[in-house]
Amino acid sequence: MLRLESSALIILAILAPTMPCGGSQTALAIASSTTVKDTDGRRLDLFGQDMKAAVLFFITNDCPITNSYIPEFNRIVANYEARKIAFYAVYTDPTVSIPAIRKHAREFGLHISLIPDTAHYLVHRAGATVTPEVAVLEPGGKLVYLGPIDDLYVDFGKRRPAPTQWYLRQALDAVLSGKPVAIASVNPVGCFISAEP
C-alpha cells in the first residue's frame, strides 16, 4: 500500500477541472517536495532533480484500453525523459499486489517508477477518474493537463484509425517551451477508477 511520508503530505486544493480551451489551466496545490514510495519501497520526489514536469500515468494491469496505450506511452517516455520530464506509472487498483504490478510492467516494458496508489492519494489529488489517464504537473504542483494521451478512442469499443490530437505530447511541448498548455483538460475514455479503494 502506498504511504505518503508525513513530512511531505500532499497539500490539497483542487479546483474543478476546466474544459478544453486555449490557455486554461487547472490548479492543483501540491507540495513541491512531495514524496511517495515505489514498489521497491524507495522514496521518490515527484519533482526532484530540477525536473520541468512530472507525468502521472494512471493505470491498472487489467484494463484493455490502458494496455493498448502502453506502447505509445513508452514512446513518449523515450522522447521526453531526457528533457527533464519525470514519468510515473500510478497503479490505481486497491487489490493489486506488488508482484502483479512488477509482472505487468515487465510484460509491457514499462521502465519507469511504479507507484502502487492503493489508497488513491494521487488519484484524488489529481482528479483522475479512469485508466488510462495522465496528469501533467509543473514544479510547485500546478496541474497543467489532465486527460487522455491522445484522441484515438472516441468511446468504449470505438476508436479512430489514428489519433488527430496528441494531447500529452502537446502539453509537454508547451511546458518545455515555457508556454501555457492550450488544452488543459479532456474527458478520457477508459476503465473507471472505483470511488473507494
Side-chain angles (χ1 to χ4, degrees):
M1 177 176 285
L2 171 70
R3 301 265 185 226
L4 291 177
E5 298 303 305
S6 59
S7 61
L9 284 176
I10 296 174
I11 302 169
L12 173 63
I14 299 176
L15 302 180
T18 60
M19 292 306 292
C21 58
S24 292
Q25 303 296 316
T26 302
L28 175 69
I30 181 171
S32 60
S33 62
T34 295
T35 59
V36 294
K37 285 188 178 180
D38 66 8
T39 51
D40 294 323
R42 293 175 300 188
R43 295 174 186 168
L44 303 173
D45 181 353
L46 296 183
F47 304 102
Q49 299 301 315
D50 300 320
M51 288 296 166
K52 295 180 179 177
V55 177
L56 306 180
F57 182 38
F58 293 96
I59 64 176
T60 52
N61 60 337
D62 60 354
C63 176
I65 297 177
T66 293
N67 290 337
S68 73
Y69 263 112
I70 291 178
E72 169 61 6
F73 187 75
N74 285 338
R75 287 189 287 270
I76 291 171
V77 172
N79 291 157
Y80 289 90
E81 192 171 37
R83 299 164 72 185
K84 292 196 173 290
I85 305 293
F87 291 90
Y88 303 93
V90 182
Y91 284 80
T92 65
D93 182 352
T95 66
V96 70
S97 67
I98 298 297
I101 289 174
R102 289 176 178 155
K103 180 175 184 288
H104 178 257
R106 187 169 57 251
E107 288 176 349
F108 284 89
L110 272 172
H111 300 296
I112 57 176
S113 296
L114 311 174
I115 301 175
D117 192 21
T118 53
H120 287 177
Y121 288 111
L122 295 176
V123 165
H124 293 318
R125 282 150 180 77
T129 57
V130 306
T131 63
E133 191 167 7
V134 289
V136 179
L137 299 162
E138 289 183 332
K142 186 177 183 182
L143 178 66
V144 295
Y145 176 71
L146 178 66
I149 289 173
D150 57 35
D151 69 348
L152 179 63
Y153 282 86
V154 180
D155 204 343
F156 289 100
K158 285 184 64 177
R159 53 182 279 176
R160 294 180 170 89
T164 63
Q165 292 280 343
W166 291 266
Y167 301 119
L168 178 55
R169 290 178 182 268
Q170 291 162 359
L172 295 178
D173 287 342
V175 168
L176 289 169
S177 63
K179 297 177 181 177
V181 175
I183 300 176
S185 177
V186 179
N187 290 329
V189 176
C191 305
F192 286 105
I193 298 172
S194 62
E196 294 299 327

